[in-house]
């Protein structure tokens, strides 16, 4: 089963054909697309999107790049929404030291407060870990979570093993498709397949064949799976089956959603 564990289908890039993309993805075998929120202002959007499309589910969270535009009340709102709307995960949350470290303390505050919400509700988390893997691991250990996904993973083998030991899966997508991405491709080859989930992060991180001028969408997921299968020298059907099973294990709520009746479009 193909599952796109990270896709910003609510983004403006999809405003003209969002429903068509969701339907085409389903027709191509993408049984579920997980759409994470990035700040309070799009909580309602990702919820509505999931209700409109049978192969979409949502996570709720405040992205580290948006903490300067967020407030303490947004954290309170997140808590209320989690209680009433039952997201599949808390996310996208984490730390980003690539864009800026000037607000590091604020990023850590929002991250840890959201980890507490995930812990309280026994929910997995979708982690943003750019240039911050060790710090993210430190705080994840502190709160003893049920698990989650380290999205767009590009850390070391040792860091990958630490996430796996904590019950996490590692997200691989467009970055893996570039021949120059030697470390990511080596991880994709060597890590246990049971530790890997697939993602597009669309419209971001386009695969090599889309490039920076094209638009990344969930329709690229099967070709991403093909790259993973080729790198590992494994059967494509097996790669799709196991990575899909991994996604359902680490995000248990999407299992039932994959078989829910067709929603109105």
């Amino acid at each position: 089963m193909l599952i796109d564990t990270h896709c910003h289908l609510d983004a403006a890039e999809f405003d003209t054909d969002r429903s068509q993309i969701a339907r085409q993805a389903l027709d191509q075998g993408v049984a579920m697309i997980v759409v994470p929120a990035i700040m309070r202002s799009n909580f309602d959007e990702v919820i509505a999107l999931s209700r409109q499309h049978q192969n979409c589910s949502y996570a709720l969270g405040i992205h580290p790049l948006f903490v300067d535009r967020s407030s303490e009340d947004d954290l309170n709102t997140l808590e209320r929404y989690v209680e009433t709307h039952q997201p599949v995960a808390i996310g996208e949350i984490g730390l980003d030291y690539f864009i800026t470290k000037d607000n590091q303390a604020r990023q850590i505050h929002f991250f840890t407060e959201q980890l507490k919400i995930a812990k309280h509700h026994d929910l997995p988390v979708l982690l943003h870990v750019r240039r911050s893997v060790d710090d993210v691991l430190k705080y994840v250990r502190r709160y003893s979570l049920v698990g989650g996904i380290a999205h767009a993973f590009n850390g070391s083998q040792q860091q990958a093993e630490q996430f796996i030991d904590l019950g996490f899966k590692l997200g691989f997508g467009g970055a893996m498709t570039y021949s120059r991405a030697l470390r990511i491709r080596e991880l994709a080859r060597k890590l246990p397949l049971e530790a890997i989930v697939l993602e597009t992060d669309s419209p971001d991180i386009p695969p090599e064949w889309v490039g920076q001028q094209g638009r990344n969408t969930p329709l690229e997921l099967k070709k991403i799976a093909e790259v993973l299968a080729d790198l590992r020298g494994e059967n494509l059907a097996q790669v799709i089956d196991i990575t899909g099973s991994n996604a359902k294990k680490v995000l248990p709520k999407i299992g039932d959603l994959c078989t829910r009746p067709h929603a109105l479009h």
Side-chain angles (χ1 to χ4, degrees):
M1 177 181 292
L2 280 169
I3 295 177
D4 188 346
T5 60
H6 203 105
C7 168
H8 297 284
L9 194 59
D10 61 306
E13 287 87 343
F14 298 112
D15 282 352
T16 60
D17 62 352
R18 184 173 292 110
S19 293
Q20 180 181 354
I21 290 292
R23 287 195 296 268
Q24 288 178 334
L26 185 60
D27 291 343
Q28 291 185 15
V30 182
M32 183 56 59
I33 301 167
V34 181
V35 184
I38 55 172
M39 60 190 303
R40 164 65 187 93
S41 62
N42 77 327
F43 286 3
D44 292 321
E45 293 177 46
V46 299
I47 292 170
L49 193 157
S50 177
R51 289 175 176 168
Q52 291 165 5
H53 304 290
Q54 75 173 96
N55 61 328
C56 292
S57 58
Y58 62 92
L60 297 177
I62 298 170
H63 190 290
L65 294 183
F66 293 90
V67 299
D68 287 338
R69 291 193 246 168
S70 302
S71 68
E72 291 297 315
D73 189 57
D74 292 338
L75 290 170
N76 296 331
T77 299
L78 174 61
E79 178 81 54
R80 293 196 301 271
Y81 267 62
V82 170
E83 291 174 351
T84 57
H85 291 87
Q86 299 185 347
V88 301
I90 301 297
E92 178 178 359
I93 67 173
L95 301 172
D96 190 310
Y97 298 162
F98 176 73
I99 298 298
T100 180
K101 294 182 71 172
D102 292 344
N103 65 349
Q104 184 173 339
R106 186 169 180 83
Q107 286 192 46
I108 290 171
H109 171 69
F110 272 80
F111 181 41
T112 55
E113 289 303 305
Q114 292 180 95
L115 291 178
K116 291 175 186 176
I117 293 172
K119 172 73 171 177
H120 178 69
H121 293 278
D122 290 323
L123 283 172
V125 292
L126 304 181
L127 295 176
H128 182 98
V129 292
R130 192 156 56 164
R131 299 278 179 89
S132 59
V133 180
D134 287 335
D135 274 7
V136 169
L137 278 165
K138 177 175 72 175
Y139 293 110
V140 166
R141 285 193 196 94
R142 180 175 298 178
Y143 292 99
S144 301
L145 304 171
V146 296
I149 297 171
H151 148 64
F153 185 76
N154 63 356
S156 68
Q157 176 84 26
Q158 182 183 37
Q159 290 167 331
E161 291 169 355
Q162 290 178 64
F163 271 118
I164 294 168
D165 289 344
L166 290 168
F168 280 74
K169 307 297 183 187
L170 307 173
F172 285 82
M176 174 186 63
T177 67
Y178 291 83
S179 58
R180 67 179 182 270
L182 301 179
R183 182 169 67 175
I184 295 174
R185 290 164 73 90
E186 187 67 8
L187 284 171
R189 288 189 193 97
K190 287 186 172 181
L191 289 174
L193 187 56
E194 289 73 18
I196 293 174
V197 294
L198 298 175
E199 60 176 53
T200 62
D201 195 26
S202 50
D204 301 318
I205 315 185
E208 186 172 36
W209 54 85
V210 172
Q212 297 303 318
Q213 303 306 313
R215 184 181 62 159
N216 188 21
T217 80
L219 304 180
E220 308 303 330
L221 193 65
K222 185 174 181 181
K223 287 186 71 174
I224 289 172
E226 290 173 358
V227 171
L228 180 60
D230 288 345
L231 285 171
R232 300 178 65 90
E234 296 179 1
N235 177 270
L236 174 61
Q238 182 181 28
V239 166
I240 290 174
D241 181 61
I242 293 177
T243 56
S245 177
N246 296 341
K248 290 192 288 184
K249 286 176 182 175
V250 78
L251 304 175
K253 290 188 177 183
I254 69 174
D256 291 338
L257 295 176
C258 286
T259 58
R260 66 184 172 182
H262 198 286
L264 294 175
H265 290 276

